[in-house]
Structures are given as structure tokens and as C-alpha cells.
Amino acid sequence: MPESKGRAKPAYTPPRTAQKVAKPNPRWFVPVMLGLMLIGLVWVVTYYISGTKEYPVPQIGRWNLGAGFAFMMAGFLMTTRWR
């Protein structure tokens, strides 16, 4: 039985993929990120230092801790988008 001739195969070229170029963050990003973390820290420290639990917001009581940690977490979540 006769053998077929092999085709000349071109060299392998990888498929083209559209590469996203990561843009740098705006100039306000880092100051806001650090500011949120510092505001949260100051909020929690102020709550603990105020002996009669009057500061920063007396109406919410122990939820002041939650508010302080929410500020800190918002700043921390911004660090994941920092380039």
C-alpha cells in the first residue's frame, strides 16, 4: 500500500490573547486607604480610652468597635486593589 506524503506543517505559533495592561491607581487611592485604616484605629482607641464610653458616638455603645473595625476593613480591602 502506498504511503501518503506528509504535509509541511508551519512552526507553532501560540494563539494571540488580548493582554490587559493594569493601569496605575489614581493619586488619591493610597491616602484614602491609609486614612481609612488610621481613622478606624483612632476610633477604636478613642472608644477604649474614654472611660465612661462616651466617645466617639455615645448612642451606639459597643457598636463603636464595629464602626472602627469597619473603617479598618475598608482600608484593608483597598490594599488588595493597590498596584
Side-chain angles (χ1 to χ4, degrees):
M1 181 164 228
E3 289 185 28
S4 65
K5 294 182 180 180
R7 291 185 296 198
K9 293 182 181 178
Y12 174 74
T13 56
R16 293 185 183 203
T17 58
Q19 292 188 7
K20 276 188 166 178
V21 177
K23 295 179 185 176
N25 290 333
R27 297 187 71 168
W28 55 264
F29 193 83
V30 174
V32 169
M33 175 182 70
L34 294 175
L36 284 171
M37 287 191 272
L38 287 175
I39 287 171
L41 178 67
V42 169
W43 194 290
V44 170
V45 168
T46 303
Y47 174 74
Y48 275 119
I49 289 178
S50 67
T52 59
K53 310 295 187 229
E54 291 184 13
Y55 298 106
V57 180
Q59 292 85 6
I60 62 175
R62 290 184 186 247
W63 283 101
N64 278 309
L65 290 175
F69 282 114
F71 280 119
M72 286 190 273
M73 284 304 295
F76 177 73
L77 288 175
M78 287 180 75
T79 63
T80 62
R81 300 285 184 178
W82 184 24
R83 292 184 193 102

